[in-house]
């Protein structure tokens, strides 16, 4: 899409007030650029020794988890310049970071004025996600952990070397690391965790009078980070998870370094934004308003960072702040199946605010749930073991509180997230015999651009016995690989009906939908033995011959039978595709009648058949096809692997009904490890 088209589409999604605000912000940034006024933000003329840098946090626990050696191995790799970005191994020359380069392509960004740098242009900056990720400085925390565990000076020296190189290469307002307020905020949070692990700056490399110059530079950069964010808070149609993250970064910094200038005012403002936005961007059901499971967890991590900093510094937070986090935690527990699988609804970019565990089996959402329960003084969770990240984040009292908690009764059957638009039709939930079917009858996403939503109205997700069957295939790409970005967020990548090979909603760019399909629930019956949900959407009413798609899902729980009835209401001729996307570990075997197939997994067997009142449908099984894309799953950002997709196709004229019948059987009943 041309730059002009993108700007035109973006303008269409703005109010007059937003246009005025964006113009004033651009003018202000241009003045900064010309006058270098933004560079005038300096700390008072004092030395670090003049400031009473005291601990504002209680001592951390001395428990480092079951595998401190894993942390040390990770730290050694950081020192050697070896690390992974979105699962891609990167090795830096001489172990020296080039902070303004995309480590994957090697493209070095120009050191232009950051606030006006076009970071979406991959020709000049490469893949900005790959560039930004190392600059979030999660690896600084790793080095601090290793220094705390071993006392070995090499980790403190390495941390200082990396810190100084970043300060040297990324001067205030210059280059790609001074473009996105969210990236600055995440960096602040990891600097705070690093500072806290090293005993609030009392351990190397922050200790000693000889470190005054380095420490002053760091504190000055912290102050500049906070000033930049407070001048560039996301607003209007961009005020999604970014605004929460930006406010969390400033709040954490103000709690950690309260003696810096302006921190009291910035902390009060950040806390007000955090409290308001957590409530605004969390539905009454507790789900993130962007309707994406990955960003739900991302926002929970920001909230947790804020709560931990508040508790550690003695800062009171409003009860509504805590209530929002509590609602989010309760909802997140519902999303997990007995094996810990979570549907990949909406966008996901593998982004995390922090990471302090290094086990291959680390479950970040489970860890966040445990830590939130401890900080909120909740006792409604049964903790069988505590992962290393949780141990690092909490103090001894919080850990004792967590170990004494016990789970209350968990739902065994249906759950209606009516305000969110997700309905869980379940049988024997939270047991090895569970069957869980999620029906998506929610809106496209949040605010006018629905930036992280997918065109997945009336899609379903199915898992049984801790094994996924019908999946949402994920995200894969953001700023690059436009065809793949369009595919993974489009209708054909979801378990729903696609009309005339176009999406239900109209995309105006990588993070923008210009026309949104709206969904209305027609009938809902939730029962112990049988459940039904019916809904329709108007996404295809925009076609020359308007089409309305209605879907009814019937679930006979005792017999493991699911019936999906699709009604396509139209007058003219259309091509109808019904897609069924299967988890990558399942084998899909078509039957001789070409109207049915079986999906075989490790512990599940699911039989499918499809019928139309206009005769047989054409069945095709795609597996890793590129043109057009079909038969893929993306479990990690920038990574995809082949999986089976069954496409049922028919050209119709006039109203047509389709019936898909699914029979689910659990063939073995291992006891998967999961959150209880």
């Amino acid at each position: 899409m041309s730059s002009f088209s993108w700007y035109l589409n973006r303008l269409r999604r703005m109010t007059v007030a937003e246009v005025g605000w964006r113009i004033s912000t651009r003018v202000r940034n241009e003045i900064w650029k010309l006058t270098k006024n933004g560079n005038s933000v300096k700390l008072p003329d004092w030395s670090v020794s003049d400031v009473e840098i005291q601990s504002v946090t209680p001592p951390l626990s001395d428990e480092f988890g079951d595998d401190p050696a894993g942390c040390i191995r990770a730290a050694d790799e950081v020192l050697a310049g070896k690390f992974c970005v979105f699962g891609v191994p990167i090795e830096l020359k001489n172990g020296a970071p080039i902070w303004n380069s995309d480590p994957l392509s090697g493209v070095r960004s120009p050191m232009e004025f950051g606030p006006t740098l076009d970071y979406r242009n991959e020709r000049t900056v490469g893949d900005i996600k790959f560039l930004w990720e190392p600059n979030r400085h999660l690896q600084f925390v790793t080095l601090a952990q290793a220094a705390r565990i071993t006392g070995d000076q090499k980790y403190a020296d390495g941390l200082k070397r990396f810190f100084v190189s970043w300060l040297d290469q990324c001067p205030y307002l210059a280059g790609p690391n001074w473009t996105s307020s969210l990236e600055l905020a995440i960096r602040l949070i990891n600097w705070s965790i690093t500072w806290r692990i090293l005993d609030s700056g009392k351990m190397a490399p922050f200790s000693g009078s000889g470190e005054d110059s380095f420490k002053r530079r760091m504190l000055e950069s912290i102050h500049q980070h906070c000033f930049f964010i407070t001048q560039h808070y996301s607003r209007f149609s961009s005020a999604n998870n970014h605004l929460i993250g930006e406010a969390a970064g400033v709040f954490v910094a103000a709690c950690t370094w309260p003696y810096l200038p302006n921190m009291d005012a910035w902390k009060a403002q950040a806390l007000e934004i955090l409290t308001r936005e957590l409530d605004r961007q969390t539905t009454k059901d507790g789900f993130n308003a962007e309707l994406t499971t990955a960003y739900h967890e991302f926002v929970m991590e920001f909230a947790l960072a804020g709560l931990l900093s508040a508790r550690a510094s003695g800062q009171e937070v409003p009860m509504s702040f805590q209530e929002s986090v509590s609602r989010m935690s309760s909802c997140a527990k519902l999303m997990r199946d007995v094996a810990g699988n979570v549907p990949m609804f909406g966008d996901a970019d593998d982004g995390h605010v922090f990471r302090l565990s290094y086990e291959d089996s680390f479950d970040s959402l489970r860890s966040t749930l445990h830590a939130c329960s401890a900080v909120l003084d909740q006792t409604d969770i049964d903790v069988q073991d505590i992962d290393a990240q949780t141990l690092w984040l909490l103090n001894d009292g919080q850990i004792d509180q967590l170990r004494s908690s016990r789970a209350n009764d968990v739902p065994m059957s249906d759950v209606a997230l009516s305000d969110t638009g997700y309905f869980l039709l379940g049988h024997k939930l939270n047991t090895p015999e569970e069957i869980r079917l999620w029906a998506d009858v929610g809106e496209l996403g949040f605010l006018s651009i629905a930036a992280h939503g997918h065109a997945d109205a009336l899609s379903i997700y199915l898992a049984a016995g801790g094994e996924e069957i019908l999946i949402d295939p994920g995200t894969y790409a953001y700023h690059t690989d436009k065809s793949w970005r369009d595919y993974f967020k489009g209708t054909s990548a979801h378990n729903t009906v696609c009309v005339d090979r176009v999406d239900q909603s109209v995309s105006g760019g990588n993070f923008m939908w210009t026309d949104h399909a709206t969904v209305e629930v027609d009938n809902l019956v939730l029962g112990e033995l049988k459940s039904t949900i019916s809904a329709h959407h108007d996404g295809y009413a925009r076609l020359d011959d308007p089409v309305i798609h209605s879907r009814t899902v019937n679930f006979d729980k005792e017999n493991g039978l699911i019936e999906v009835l699709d009604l396509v209401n139209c007058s003219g001729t259309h091509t109808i595709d019904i897609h069924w996307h299967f988890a990558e570990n399942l084998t899909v075997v078509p039957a001789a009648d070409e109207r049915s197939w079986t999906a075989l997994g490790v512990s599940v067997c699911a039989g499918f058949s499809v019928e139309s009142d206009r005769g047989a449908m054409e069945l095709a099984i795609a597996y890793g096809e590129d043109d057009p894309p079909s038969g893929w799953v993306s479990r990690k950002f920038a990574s995809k692997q082949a999986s089976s997709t069954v496409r049922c196709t028919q050209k119709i004229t006039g109203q047509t009904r389709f019936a898909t019948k699914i029979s689910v059987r659990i063939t073995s009943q291992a006891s998967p490890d999961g959150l209880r």
Side-chain angles (χ1 to χ4, degrees):
M1 177 171 293
S2 69
S3 178
F4 176 78
S5 296
W6 183 88
Y7 279 108
L8 183 61
N9 285 328
R10 191 67 181 86
L11 190 63
R12 289 175 54 200
R13 308 308 298 171
M14 297 182 193
T15 63
V16 173
E18 179 173 1
V19 172
W21 169 73
R22 290 188 181 277
I23 291 173
S24 65
T25 300
R26 182 66 186 226
V27 170
R28 191 269 316 279
N29 285 337
E30 290 295 341
I31 293 173
W32 278 18
K33 183 177 180 180
L34 291 172
T35 64
K36 301 188 184 302
N37 185 56
N39 286 321
S40 67
V41 183
K42 299 290 184 181
L43 293 179
D45 187 18
W46 43 249
S47 69
V48 172
S49 58
D50 294 330
V51 179
E52 184 184 356
I53 299 180
Q54 59 187 359
S55 174
V56 295
T57 62
L60 285 171
S61 166
D62 286 326
E63 295 188 60
F64 303 130
D66 295 333
D67 184 23
C71 174
I72 296 169
R73 285 193 300 271
D76 288 338
E77 291 182 352
V78 171
L79 291 180
K82 299 177 181 178
F83 56 98
C84 283
V85 181
F86 303 124
V88 178
I90 304 292
E91 185 166 0
L92 303 175
K93 294 181 179 179
N94 302 318
I98 304 176
W99 299 108
N100 297 299
S101 292
D102 167 10
L104 184 64
S105 66
V107 174
R108 183 173 296 193
S109 173
M111 295 302 290
E112 299 175 4
F113 184 67
T116 58
L117 175 65
D118 183 9
Y119 60 81
R120 297 180 180 88
N121 188 339
E122 60 184 296
R123 292 190 299 274
T124 58
V125 303
D127 189 327
I128 194 64
K129 287 291 295 179
F130 275 85
L131 187 154
W132 276 341
E133 188 69 19
N135 285 278
R136 291 181 169 184
H137 292 174
L138 278 71
Q139 68 272 39
F140 283 21
V141 175
T142 306
L143 293 173
Q145 289 175 281
R148 175 77 177 264
I149 293 171
T150 66
D152 194 325
Q153 185 67 28
K154 71 176 182 180
Y155 298 112
D157 291 342
L159 174 59
K160 180 180 178 181
R161 184 175 75 250
F162 284 160
F163 221 135
V164 170
S165 72
W166 192 90
L167 294 170
D168 289 342
Q169 294 178 36
C170 306
Y172 183 48
L173 297 182
N177 290 306
W178 292 95
T179 56
S180 168
S181 292
L182 180 67
E183 299 304 314
L184 274 70
I186 296 174
R187 198 152 52 236
L188 281 174
I189 291 172
N190 281 290
W191 289 0
S192 171
I193 296 173
T194 298
W195 182 265
R196 185 184 179 199
I197 287 174
L198 297 176
D199 196 14
S200 293
K202 292 183 174 61
M203 294 176 61
F206 304 115
S207 60
S209 58
E211 306 297 332
D212 281 3
S213 176
F214 160 58
K215 193 180 298 184
R216 178 182 173 84
R217 290 187 68 191
M218 183 198 73
L219 292 173
E220 187 170 87
S221 186
I222 290 166
H223 192 260
Q224 291 168 339
H225 274 64
C226 290
F227 177 78
F228 183 100
I229 296 170
T230 59
Q231 299 301 301
H232 295 88
Y233 275 129
S234 298
R235 295 185 61 194
F236 296 102
S237 60
S238 295
N240 53 12
N241 70 84
H242 281 229
L243 181 55
I244 291 175
E246 291 156 8
V250 173
F251 181 72
V252 167
C255 288
T256 308
W257 300 282
Y259 35 76
L260 296 180
N262 310 113
M263 283 302 195
D264 285 345
W266 289 344
K267 179 169 67 173
Q269 180 190 32
L271 180 57
E272 188 277 327
I273 293 173
L274 257 181
T275 303
R276 181 191 71 230
E277 292 301 319
L278 282 172
D279 180 64
R280 177 172 172 258
Q281 296 188 41
T282 304
T283 68
K284 295 176 183 177
D285 307 316
F287 197 51
N288 176 255
E290 294 193 75
L291 305 184
T292 145
T293 46
Y295 281 94
H296 183 92
E297 180 181 357
F298 195 47
V299 168
M300 283 186 67
E301 290 178 354
F302 281 122
L304 174 60
L307 284 173
L308 286 167
S309 294
R311 291 292 178 93
S313 61
Q315 170 68 49
E316 293 290 331
V317 299
M319 184 58 66
S320 60
F321 184 123
Q322 301 178 60
E323 289 172 349
S324 295
V325 180
S326 180
R327 295 203 317 272
M328 296 181 72
S329 295
S330 296
C331 187
K333 294 172 191 175
L334 292 176
M335 288 289 174
R336 296 167 53 92
D337 73 4
V338 70
N341 298 309
V342 177
M344 296 186 291
F345 297 146
D347 269 348
D349 66 357
D350 289 1
H352 288 283
V353 181
F354 45 75
R355 177 161 181 176
L356 295 91
S357 283
Y358 304 94
E359 306 89 347
D360 291 337
S361 60
F362 174 61
D363 185 336
S364 60
L365 179 56
R366 178 176 178 269
S367 175
T368 300
L369 286 168
H370 284 174
C372 283
S373 293
V375 177
L376 293 174
D377 300 321
Q378 294 176 334
T379 58
D380 63 344
I381 190 169
D382 191 0
V383 180
Q384 297 176 351
D385 59 273
I386 304 178
D387 62 272
Q389 174 163 292
T390 306
L391 292 171
W392 277 101
L393 291 175
L394 303 180
N395 57 45
D396 287 328
Q398 292 165 333
I399 292 171
D400 290 342
Q401 168 79 14
L402 188 59
R403 284 184 169 136
S404 66
S405 62
R406 290 293 180 267
N408 297 328
D409 291 338
V410 291
M412 295 289 290
S413 190
D414 303 337
V415 178
L417 303 180
S418 302
D419 191 51
T420 301
Y422 288 129
F423 290 82
L424 173 59
L425 309 185
H427 181 54
K428 295 184 179 179
L429 295 180
N430 305 295
T431 74
E433 300 87 25
E434 74 171 5
I435 299 177
R436 54 174 56 218
L437 185 153
W438 283 100
D440 179 359
V441 296
E443 298 302 320
L444 178 62
F446 186 54
L447 302 176
S448 62
I449 60 174
H452 293 297
H454 287 186
D456 55 2
L458 308 190
S459 181
I460 66 172
Y461 166 96
L462 179 64
E467 190 168 356
E468 294 183 299
I469 301 172
L470 293 174
I471 60 170
D472 184 316
T475 299
Y476 179 60
Y478 267 4
H479 297 282
T480 57
D481 297 314
K482 181 181 183 302
S483 63
W484 289 105
R485 172 63 173 156
D486 289 343
Y487 167 70
F488 275 97
K489 73 174 187 173
T491 302
S492 66
H494 298 87
N495 301 309
T496 187
V497 169
C498 186
V499 179
D500 294 337
R501 308 276 162 89
V502 298
D503 292 333
Q504 302 160 340
S505 297
V506 179
S507 174
N510 286 338
F511 299 96
M512 174 171 34
W513 295 94
T514 57
D515 293 292
H516 300 191
T518 59
V519 184
E520 184 175 340
V521 176
D522 301 310
N523 185 40
L524 177 65
V525 178
L526 303 181
E528 291 297 321
L529 301 180
K530 295 183 180 181
S531 294
T532 295
I533 183 168
S534 298
H536 68 274
H537 76 84
D538 63 359
Y540 292 117
R542 72 181 190 273
L543 301 180
D544 291 338
D545 174 53
V547 176
I548 300 296
H549 171 216
S550 302
R551 170 169 280 187
T552 296
V553 179
N554 298 313
F555 183 16
D556 176 353
K557 301 178 182 182
E558 281 193 315
N559 298 305
L561 299 177
I562 299 163
E563 183 180 47
V564 182
L565 303 175
D566 290 303
L567 173 64
V568 177
N569 205 329
C570 60
S571 299
T573 300
H574 299 275
T575 298
I576 303 299
D577 294 311
I578 307 177
H579 295 90
W580 302 109
H581 300 272
F582 293 89
E584 62 274 27
N585 62 302
L586 268 61
T587 301
V588 176
V589 182
D593 62 9
E594 297 185 350
R595 292 192 300 177
S596 60
W597 64 95
T598 302
L600 300 171
V602 175
S603 61
V604 297
C605 174
F608 289 73
S609 66
V610 62
E611 295 179 349
S612 163
D613 61 9
R614 294 187 181 275
M617 302 187 74
E618 177 186 344
L619 264 62
I621 300 179
Y623 187 82
E625 296 182 2
D626 293 340
D627 188 21
S630 187
W632 294 98
V633 60
S634 176
R635 297 287 182 182
K636 294 181 178 295
F637 188 76
S639 175
K640 65 183 188 298
Q641 65 184 103
S643 62
S644 295
T645 293
V646 175
R647 186 181 68 210
C648 310
T649 302
Q650 189 173 62
K651 180 164 283 191
I652 67 166
T653 301
Q655 185 183 84
T656 306
R657 291 178 173 81
F658 305 88
T660 304
K661 295 182 180 180
I662 309 170
S663 174
V664 179
R665 182 165 55 93
I666 301 174
T667 57
S668 64
Q669 295 180 0
S671 181
D673 179 35
L675 185 75
R676 298 291 187 259

